[in-house]
Amino acid sequence: MSLQVENLRVYYQTLRGDVKALDGATFSLKNGEIMGLAGESGCGKSTLGNSFVRLAPPMRFVEGKVTLDGQELPIWDQDKMMPHRFRDISIVPQYAMNAMNPTRKIGLMVSELLKTRQVNYAEMLPELHRRLDLVGLPHDVLGMYPIELSGGMKQRMVMVISTLLNPSLLIADEITSALDVSTQKAVSEMLVEFRDQGFVKSMMVITHDISILYQIADTIMVMYAGKLAEKAPTETIIHAPRHPYTKLLISSLPKVGVTYTQKKLTGIPGNPPLLLTPPTGCRFRERCPVAYEKCLEEPPFVAIGKNHSIACWREAAPHA
Amino acid sequence: MLKLENVSKIYRIGAFGNRELRAVSNVSFEVAPGEVISLIGESGSGKSTIGKMILRLISISGGKITLDGVDISQHRGQALKEYYRLVQGVFQDPFSSYNPIFKADRVFEIVRQEFYPQVSAADWYPRVINALEAVGLNPEHVLNKFPHQLSGGQLQRFLIARALLLDIKFLVADEIISMLDASTRIDVLNLLASLKSRGLSILFITHDLSLAHYISERAIILYRGFMVEMGATGRIFDHPLHPYTRMLMASVPRLDQKWQEVEIDAVANLPGNGRGCAYYDRCPVASHQCTQSPPPLVEAEPGHFVACFNYSSQSG
């Protein structure tokens, strides 16, 4: 197990009270696992990713334990997290296109970044060149300003920088959502390549686009309104989901080759609950077609099969 | 009904406007009543520019756009207003389409003041209710609210309802669902499909091929302002002809199959000289001919047009 998360709760502080954006997440990542994290906007998937890297106000750590390679991460203490960032855990942010300093040439920026981690840029240079070759960027980019690169090139550059010190865990937050389809494919395949080459041990790929996850992820975890709904191998989530939310979500996705005249798809009626005052019990209850009395209690996130966990009373205990 | 003939848009760029950027080059197509046509392209393909030209938000540099035979670029004053009774647009970001200071239903009141000043507010209200119900919203839940109190999907349907109040014939839908969540976007798509059955024509501008396939009969693939392929949507998906379309189809993440191991986007050729095919520098099958002039759009099979010399030579 490279990453273990137990009962992690992270709230956002607002004047009107705490927004319970991440309310009790327990899961683990195996060595070499690429886990996709899917869900609608506001379900807490980015909160989960960001909390491993920088849990700063207005985010508030409530409780939970994060263990990476057998070592507990002090994610609530920003100063103590400093030595872990970039070396053990690294992020490719949502807007990677704007993640680089526009006033520095890229090479200089990388050398400054490495200096903060007591790494010599000159010694690192051959490896940096090798990785630039791998992602198909010319070595000249190190002498360029970020503005001279296209969106896809910047994204690839940020990926190379983020993984330069071989972190154990890489968090990729919506890295493909602003890219064209052809670039999207190249960047996604690069993530798999980075794992295969051993640059990163495990990866969390956060996206709302499940079809991308189907291409690259080993497992998919689905979140709903701050809670984990289901985690299973990719094939299981796509072809045999168990949680009612996952089922509805997958069936609402138009597949290439489907037209509305042949097969009319349906959305999920209703809206996610407000996380300022979330309902008790199962948070999907209001929109769930199979909800019953038991759902007034909160369903635990339990294993129902090999590598398959869900938080649903009806599916976890079908004969109840 | 709506017809584009050799429409081009050239932007002047550079400090003195002495360089030009061809955002749209010689685009021609026609939309029939009750037809949904998809305009598919990546960023920079000119798809939104075409939508804006149809809505008269930007001027046309060359060519002609006609609605029922009347050139729309000549409309001034009252005639332009009449044009907007028939043609309306809905855009990508529902949140920036509203003024956050005012309640969201103000857009309906503006339509009344501008287009139906003779209708009293009391007579207007039932029409608003009708339009809201037509787009699948419960009026009690959405009226008298500020934009931030409504979800993206509700705001987007509000804008469609606003367009319906005008009794439009043509809707330009520019990436209207790309900002919506998966569970709500399909409802907006189904709404468009039901409007179509009432005889509304829709120009569905998107970069998402699976959405385009779901909703439209015909599709146009754009690349750097050029039309590279046009035809029945199903045909383009199952049997893409242009190398660019083929690359696009191979790159789309699908839920029913994994990506094939194909070599894409390897820079195959030197940059083109600007005179030939726009896809020359990425094309795996380019030849010398492709640098000489842009390939014409030819009918490779009935109803299926492609702009590639590989096909124009076969058909003569």
Side-chain angles (χ1 to χ4, degrees):
Chain A
M1 291 295 165
S2 90
L3 176 78
Q4 258 177 313
V5 178
E6 282 165 54
N7 200 25
L8 182 64
R9 281 176 211 277
V10 176
Y11 294 171
Y12 282 91
Q13 293 169 295
T14 70
L15 291 175
R16 290 186 290 165
D18 284 338
V19 174
K20 299 165 186 69
L22 182 64
D23 214 359
T26 303
F27 64 95
S28 58
L29 247 67
K30 293 194 186 72
N31 283 339
E33 180 173 335
I34 296 182
M35 183 186 81
L37 189 52
E40 299 179 72
S41 49
C43 72
K45 56 190 193 300
S46 286
T47 307
L48 178 57
N50 289 337
S51 64
F52 295 145
V53 179
R54 187 173 147 77
L55 210 162
M59 285 162 90
R60 184 167 70 88
F61 176 81
V62 180
E63 61 171 325
K65 188 174 169 192
V66 179
T67 317
L68 185 66
D69 297 325
Q71 189 188 6
E72 188 173 349
L73 286 179
I75 64 165
W76 57 87
D77 189 328
Q78 294 315 297
D79 293 334
K80 281 192 191 151
M81 270 304 282
M82 206 56 196
H84 295 288
R85 291 189 193 124
F86 198 18
R87 276 189 187 282
D88 298 330
I89 187 161
S90 197
I91 189 167
V92 184
Q94 189 156 4
Y95 298 103
M97 299 174 178
N98 309 327
M100 285 187 281
N101 187 338
T103 66
R104 290 275 189 281
K105 284 182 178 164
I106 292 170
L108 180 60
M109 196 192 79
V110 175
S111 83
E112 288 173 348
L113 199 59
L114 288 172
K115 210 189 264 172
T116 67
R117 293 293 180 277
Q118 290 82 44
V119 178
N120 189 320
Y121 178 63
E123 284 171 21
M124 208 65 198
L125 205 55
E127 181 64 20
L128 185 57
H129 282 165
R130 195 170 79 80
R131 296 199 181 177
L132 288 176
D133 292 339
L134 190 74
V135 300
L137 286 173
H139 296 175
D140 305 342
V141 294
L142 296 176
M144 290 183 187
Y145 287 97
I147 195 170
E148 297 174 70
L149 272 57
S150 73
M153 287 167 85
K154 278 187 233 176
Q155 189 84 56
R156 280 181 273 173
M157 191 64 227
V158 172
M159 282 167 60
V160 168
I161 297 173
S162 289
T163 55
L164 199 53
L165 296 182
N166 294 349
S168 170
L169 175 68
L170 180 72
I171 294 157
D173 191 354
E174 293 279 11
I175 59 166
T176 58
S177 50
L179 301 175
D180 284 329
V181 266
S182 52
T183 327
Q184 216 171 44
K185 179 177 176 189
V187 165
S188 310
E189 287 179 337
M190 235 159 262
L191 284 177
V192 180
E193 181 70 24
F194 277 21
R195 190 264 321 258
D196 294 346
Q197 296 263 349
F199 298 163
V200 290
K201 220 188 260 177
S202 53
M203 217 181 275
M204 258 168 69
V205 182
I206 304 171
T207 177
H208 65 279
D209 191 342
I210 296 182
S211 49
I212 295 256
L213 293 181
Y214 181 60
Q215 309 296 329
I216 61 167
D218 303 315
T219 57
I220 296 179
M221 185 159 85
V222 179
M223 286 184 70
Y224 182 78
K227 298 264 187 197
L228 304 186
E230 184 162 7
K231 184 184 184 219
T234 304
E235 294 291 331
T236 313
I237 289 280
I238 303 293
H239 300 296
R242 294 285 296 276
H243 196 285
Y245 174 65
T246 320
K247 284 182 191 168
L248 288 170
L249 189 67
I250 300 290
S251 67
S252 73
L253 300 173
K255 295 165 188 64
V256 171
V258 170
T259 64
Y260 70 95
T261 40
Q262 295 163 355
K263 185 180 170 213
K264 191 162 179 178
L265 302 171
T266 47
I268 308 174
N271 291 304
L274 289 177
L275 297 180
L276 198 57
T277 49
T280 54
C282 177
R283 291 188 179 177
F284 188 58
R285 197 180 71 218
E286 298 279 305
R287 301 168 81 185
C288 183
V290 296
Y292 65 127
E293 316 85 64
K294 186 82 173 159
C295 302
L296 288 167
E297 290 167 48
E298 191 178 320
F301 191 64
V302 291
I304 55 160
K306 192 168 177 286
N307 299 325
H308 193 169
S309 305
I310 64 167
C312 178
W313 288 116
R314 196 175 278 275
E315 284 294 327
H319 307 295
Chain B
M1 190 175 107
L2 190 96
K3 194 171 178 186
L4 281 78
E5 289 168 78
N6 290 320
V7 171
S8 300
K9 178 69 195 177
I10 298 166
Y11 286 109
R12 298 247 157 234
I13 53 170
F16 299 101
N18 48 8
R19 282 187 300 148
E20 53 183 42
L21 175 85
R22 293 185 78 86
V24 175
S25 303
N26 296 326
V27 167
S28 306
F29 63 89
E30 194 171 354
V31 188
E35 185 182 39
V36 181
I37 188 158
S38 288
L39 220 46
I40 303 168
E42 300 183 293
S43 48
S45 64
K47 56 189 193 300
S48 289
T49 307
I50 292 176
K52 284 180 187 158
M53 284 194 286
I54 292 173
L55 290 169
R56 286 279 312 263
L57 297 175
I58 50 177
S59 63
I60 304 166
S61 304
K64 201 158 78 165
I65 301 179
T66 56
L67 180 73
D68 296 328
V70 183
D71 188 345
I72 67 157
S73 61
Q74 302 306 319
H75 291 323
R76 296 282 180 279
Q78 197 57 37
L80 183 60
K81 201 159 184 175
E82 289 305 315
Y83 178 67
Y84 282 134
R85 263 186 217 276
L86 300 174
V87 179
Q88 282 285 325
V90 178
F91 299 95
Q92 179 170 16
D93 185 354
F95 300 99
S96 62
S97 300
Y98 292 87
N99 186 336
I101 298 173
F102 297 103
K103 285 178 177 164
D105 45 24
R106 179 171 175 261
V107 294
F108 302 128
E109 186 55 26
I110 293 175
V111 168
R112 183 181 76 87
Q113 286 169 4
E114 285 293 316
F115 290 94
Y116 299 99
Q118 73 285 6
V119 179
S120 73
D123 291 341
W124 183 246
Y125 187 70
R127 290 205 209 177
V128 172
I129 301 290
N130 272 340
L132 285 176
E133 278 167 357
V135 297
L137 288 173
N138 184 340
E140 283 173 35
H141 292 172
V142 293
L143 286 177
N144 237 348
K145 291 250 172 78
F146 285 98
H148 69 266
Q149 294 172 303
L150 299 167
S151 73
Q154 285 173 326
L155 289 174
Q156 206 63 293
R157 277 182 274 183
F158 244 63
L159 292 171
I160 299 172
R162 174 190 161 279
L164 291 181
L165 278 171
L166 286 166
D167 218 14
I168 54 164
K169 295 227 161 59
F170 192 87
L171 182 73
V172 177
D174 189 353
E175 297 270 15
I176 62 167
I177 43 181
S178 53
M179 290 200 42
L180 304 181
D181 273 319
S183 68
T184 46
R185 60 165 44 167
I186 203 73
D187 294 329
V188 176
L189 265 189
N190 285 337
L191 168 64
L192 288 185
S194 69
L195 295 178
K196 179 183 109 83
S197 57
R198 297 169 159 202
L200 184 69
S201 309
I202 299 168
L203 184 70
F204 187 74
I205 300 173
T206 184
H207 67 275
D208 190 323
L209 295 128
S210 50
L211 298 178
H213 190 271
Y214 182 68
I215 186 86
S216 61
E217 292 96 46
R218 279 203 300 152
I220 295 170
I221 313 279
L222 290 168
Y223 183 73
R224 291 196 197 163
F226 288 89
M227 281 171 75
V228 297
E229 196 159 349
M230 172 169 78
T233 314
R235 198 69 195 140
I236 288 187
F237 275 71
D238 300 338
H239 189 57
L241 294 175
H242 197 279
Y244 173 65
T245 320
R246 287 210 296 266
M247 187 276 291
L248 213 53
M249 294 303 156
S251 310
V252 179
R254 307 170 69 136
L255 276 178
D256 48 352
Q257 66 184 62
K258 304 248 173 173
W259 277 325
Q260 306 290 314
E261 287 295 322
V262 281
E263 194 60 42
I264 54 153
D265 216 15
V267 180
N269 304 298
L270 295 168
N273 51 15
R275 276 184 290 139
C277 177
Y279 193 58
Y280 175 73
D281 52 351
R282 288 165 75 185
C283 184
V285 294
S287 65
H288 178 66
Q289 192 187 10
C290 304
T291 61
Q292 300 307 307
S293 65
L297 200 64
V298 294
E299 194 162 11
E301 54 184 37
H304 192 167
F305 298 82
V306 61
C308 181
F309 283 118
N310 286 325
Y311 298 95
S312 51
S313 52
Q314 286 168 15
S315 57

